[in-house]
Amino acid sequence: GGGGRCRFSAVCPFPYARDGRADSVAPLGVVVCSASRGEERFSSLAAAVRAAPEGATVLLGEGETELDGALLLQRPLTLLGARNAVLTARGGGSVVVVDLPGGGAAGGLPPPTLSIVGVGVVQRATEQPGVASACAREGEPARAAAGYAVVVRAGRAELTQCTVQSALSGGCFVSAAASAALRGCHFGAAAMHGVLVSGRARVEMSHCHVHSTGAAGVEARGRSEVRLHCCRVHHSSRSGLFATAFAEAHAEYCNVFQCRFAGIECAGQSEVRVHSCRVHDGERGGLLALGRSSLRVDACAVSRNAMAGVS
């Protein structure tokens, strides 16, 4: 798309103009661009990331790059993909792990930020399909989440125009005091959550598409906070947006539909605020508040749900 504006917010740049600098890189090629070193070519992405100085841009050529293990990103960089640039990893573990030192933003300084733009991240099933789902059923959500396709452990990650899929686990897991901004991303075909936020983490999602998930499309738990703006969430095997265990969730101008449970659900003393959203065609209701949770709804259209629209 071009550099238009979101029709619901003057401060939300959408559609996001595509950055085509990586399109000139050879297929499966890797180029590091930095102010101090200029352009450097590498034979592998892992080697390029290890050598890149802070603030560098790593350009990834088109095609599928298979990693020996998770790509560990531990300094502020920009990873920019050409059209059809895709990352996978052998062994069925996480494909990308963001773990920036000093992620707590000490002294009021902003946390270090890593950007991933225009890259597909695909986690394929291994010889033991369903391992992550089994972990969750057995009460080991932390172990299961550790294997999500994209994991943000510390610092801040910004994903723009990325496609994330996982046949084994979930799409994106943001934990602890980490934060993430997900802009124009596509999370689909996930065995578990599309996006899972936990442990005081904070995530902002704008113009994202989340669908076909084995658990909730987007889930916030453990005093975390998630904000959705102009997102589409549908065809999840649980609720589309779910907040629990003191989490906070805010959704505005979103379309949530055809979820196996409620469209939007809160439980466990969580708080959910919903403004100008469409919630429809849910198999077990539209908006659902359980226990001592708090649900506030404003200017929403709730329709064609199999059970109560709001309960």
Side-chain angles (χ1 to χ4, degrees):
R5 290 284 176 179
C6 169
R7 64 190 179 99
F8 296 113
S9 173
V11 297
C12 175
F14 186 84
Y16 302 98
R18 183 177 175 277
D19 189 332
R21 285 178 291 166
D23 291 346
S24 60
V25 177
L28 303 180
V30 183
V31 176
V32 174
C33 302
S34 64
S36 58
R37 303 179 189 173
E39 289 192 2
E40 299 176 283
R41 300 185 182 276
F42 290 83
S43 59
S44 75
L45 179 59
V49 167
R50 287 193 298 268
E54 288 192 10
T57 297
V58 180
L59 306 179
L60 178 64
E62 68 173 340
E64 182 174 303
T65 299
E66 186 179 41
L67 305 166
D68 291 329
L71 181 67
L72 183 59
L73 302 171
Q74 294 183 297
R75 65 173 64 89
L77 301 168
T78 296
L79 177 60
L80 175 61
R83 290 187 186 275
N84 303 317
V86 176
L87 295 178
T88 64
R90 296 187 182 95
S94 295
V95 181
V96 175
V97 176
V98 179
D99 192 1
L100 301 179
L109 297 175
T113 300
L114 181 133
S115 298
I116 303 176
V117 181
V119 177
V121 180
V122 179
Q123 186 185 50
R124 293 193 172 88
T126 64
E127 295 79 8
Q128 296 177 299
V131 171
S133 298
C135 290
R137 288 196 300 270
E138 294 166 8
E140 300 182 57
R143 178 182 161 198
Y148 276 34
V150 177
V151 176
V152 185
R153 291 179 183 166
R156 179 174 175 80
E158 297 181 352
L159 275 66
T160 303
Q161 297 173 334
C162 294
T163 297
V164 182
Q165 300 178 358
S166 173
L168 175 62
S169 186
C172 180
F173 174 50
V174 185
S175 69
S179 65
L182 312 175
R183 305 180 180 116
C185 293
H186 185 153
F187 300 90
M192 294 182 67
H193 305 86
V195 178
L196 174 62
V197 189
S198 181
R200 299 185 184 274
R202 178 185 173 91
V203 171
E204 305 105 35
M205 301 176 61
S206 58
H207 297 276
C208 290
H209 184 191
V210 184
H211 71 95
S212 306
T213 60
V218 179
E219 179 174 330
R221 60 169 74 151
R223 301 188 186 277
S224 63
E225 179 180 346
V226 61
R227 293 179 176 268
L228 284 70
H229 170 79
C230 289
C231 293
R232 188 157 53 124
V233 183
H234 61 97
H235 288 95
S236 64
S237 294
R238 303 287 295 183
S239 296
L241 171 61
F242 179 45
T244 187
F246 302 96
E248 291 185 29
H250 303 257
E252 62 178 13
Y253 308 113
C254 294
N255 189 4
V256 185
F257 60 98
Q258 292 186 331
C259 296
R260 198 66 72 80
F261 276 55
I264 298 176
E265 177 185 356
C266 54
Q269 294 184 274
S270 61
E271 296 184 13
V272 173
R273 306 290 179 262
V274 187
H275 173 70
S276 294
C277 292
R278 293 181 60 210
V279 183
H280 56 100
D281 297 292
E283 293 189 17
R284 297 194 181 182
L287 298 140
L288 176 64
L290 301 174
R292 298 172 64 185
S293 60
S294 171
L295 173 64
R296 293 185 182 179
V297 183
D298 173 53
C300 292
V302 183
S303 63
R304 299 196 305 269
N305 295 287
M307 298 177 69
V310 181
S311 61

